[in-house]
Amino acid sequence: MQKLFFLSCISEARKFELSEIFERVIEIVEKHDPEALGINGMFQLLKAERSKLSKLTTVEARSFPDNDKVLQLVLRRKQVLNAIKQQALIVENATIASQEEFTHVIPVIKRYLKDFQKANQTEKSEKVNVFLNVLNETANKTAIAGLSMTIYVNELKTVQDAINTFTTSIKTVVVERVRSQSYEVKRSVINALRNLFKSIELASIEHTDKDYSKLIGELNNYLLSFNTTVKARRTRRMNIAKKETAASTPTSIATAN
């Protein structure tokens, strides 16, 4: 009996690689008439995994924990920013002599908040974070206080800090969901592949009157080519790790001497 080679390293396949392996195996098996070879049952079970596998390469929109709270905070941020812009406009139009030394911060406010609403949510948070850092510089901080705008800036910082916290939390949830989903899909697809290969080997023992050598040979050639890719990737990782270890290891006095 010709042995069908199944990759133990297939678990190291990246999502697009696993998808490619899946489609290529189906293409090869289909070409050799699985019905005639008595392996169609397991072959159809493998094909049924296609809908699951597509999830690995598709990002789905989902609702996330605390999403409503984030939306409320985003609305609050908009209100506070509008108050800051309005206050800056009042100061600019009033031209009060006692405030003149602090008006240098007005162009700063206008520059950072210009076209703010056209940005996406990530860009808005980045702009506000930078804006707050700029306003925290000594001269600007003094000017903000002199224009009685500190209360608005402090409120903006409180709101933006909360948005940053929730955003980080949401990103963590997304990453964990994707990891969990990827693991389950990969496990299911790999099991289906393994079951198909076992069925081919068993069928070749049971049906000695049928020729499985061409199917097994073509599958082995393809899988061995992937095995070469994985081994090369392992070698690169090991070499990089060795270089990093060598670079981080302090030179001994004896070596230096």
Side-chain angles (χ1 to χ4, degrees):
M1 181 193 75
Q2 187 178 359
K3 183 71 175 176
L4 181 56
F5 182 69
F6 186 81
L7 294 172
S8 59
C9 61
I10 201 169
S11 60
E12 296 181 38
R14 295 165 180 169
K15 59 184 181 180
F16 289 103
E17 289 174 336
L18 185 58
S19 180
E20 181 184 322
I21 292 169
F22 177 87
E23 295 297 341
R24 182 64 180 134
V25 167
I26 285 179
E27 181 185 332
I28 292 171
V29 175
E30 212 153 37
K31 184 168 62 176
H32 292 275
D33 194 352
E35 183 70 44
L37 293 177
I39 58 171
N40 196 48
M42 287 300 174
F43 180 60
Q44 293 303 321
L45 288 177
L46 175 63
K47 289 177 72 175
E49 296 292 315
R50 183 177 273 127
S51 60
K52 296 180 186 177
L53 190 57
S54 65
K55 293 179 181 179
L56 283 181
T57 54
T58 304
V59 178
E60 296 182 356
R62 293 173 180 260
S63 59
F64 299 104
D66 302 316
N67 195 49
D68 289 341
K69 291 181 181 177
V70 174
L71 292 176
Q72 291 171 8
L73 287 166
V74 167
L75 177 59
R76 179 59 180 160
R77 180 178 65 188
K78 182 179 179 180
Q79 292 170 339
V80 177
L81 286 172
N82 284 338
I84 291 173
K85 286 191 289 185
Q86 187 64 32
Q87 189 67 17
L89 183 61
I90 291 171
V91 170
E92 189 176 38
N93 291 335
T95 60
I96 297 173
S98 61
Q99 293 182 327
E100 188 175 350
E101 64 178 302
F102 306 124
T103 56
H104 65 84
V105 79
I106 301 300
V108 175
I109 294 172
K110 292 170 71 174
R111 182 169 70 252
Y112 278 94
L113 300 188
K114 182 182 179 182
D115 298 327
F116 182 81
Q117 293 305 321
K118 293 181 181 180
N120 61 42
Q121 292 303 328
T122 300
E123 292 169 339
K124 286 177 180 177
S125 284
E126 290 173 353
K127 283 188 174 186
V128 172
N129 286 326
V130 173
F131 179 52
L132 286 167
N133 286 334
V134 171
L135 293 185
N136 198 44
E137 293 171 4
T138 303
N140 291 332
K141 192 172 185 178
T142 300
I144 288 295
L147 298 177
S148 302
M149 296 173 65
T150 301
I151 188 171
Y152 302 115
V153 174
N154 286 346
E155 178 67 9
L156 177 62
K157 186 179 186 310
T158 299
V159 172
Q160 186 59 48
D161 283 348
I163 290 175
N164 291 340
T165 299
F166 280 124
T167 301
T168 301
S169 175
I170 287 172
K171 286 180 179 177
T172 301
V173 170
V174 172
V175 169
E176 291 305 317
R177 281 183 175 174
V178 169
R179 283 177 180 170
S180 176
Q181 179 181 332
S182 296
Y183 173 77
E184 291 301 327
V185 172
K186 284 182 71 173
R187 185 178 67 172
S188 183
V189 171
I190 290 170
N191 282 340
L193 282 167
R194 184 178 284 110
N195 289 337
L196 173 63
F197 292 174
K198 285 179 181 177
S199 74
I200 293 172
E201 288 188 340
L202 290 173
S204 68
I205 296 172
E206 184 179 358
H207 304 291
T208 55
D209 56 319
K210 296 177 182 178
D211 183 13
Y212 292 83
S213 61
K214 291 182 180 178
L215 169 61
I216 293 174
E218 192 170 350
L219 285 171
N220 280 344
N221 286 337
Y222 173 69
L223 293 172
L224 284 169
S225 69
F226 175 74
N227 192 45
T228 301
T229 299
V230 172
K231 283 184 176 179
R233 193 154 63 214
R234 282 178 184 169
T235 301
R236 285 195 299 272
R237 284 203 301 266
M238 288 174 63
N239 290 337
I240 291 171
K242 286 178 182 178
K243 288 180 181 178
E244 289 177 347
T245 301
S248 63
T249 303
T251 305
S252 67
I253 296 175
T255 304
N257 289 336

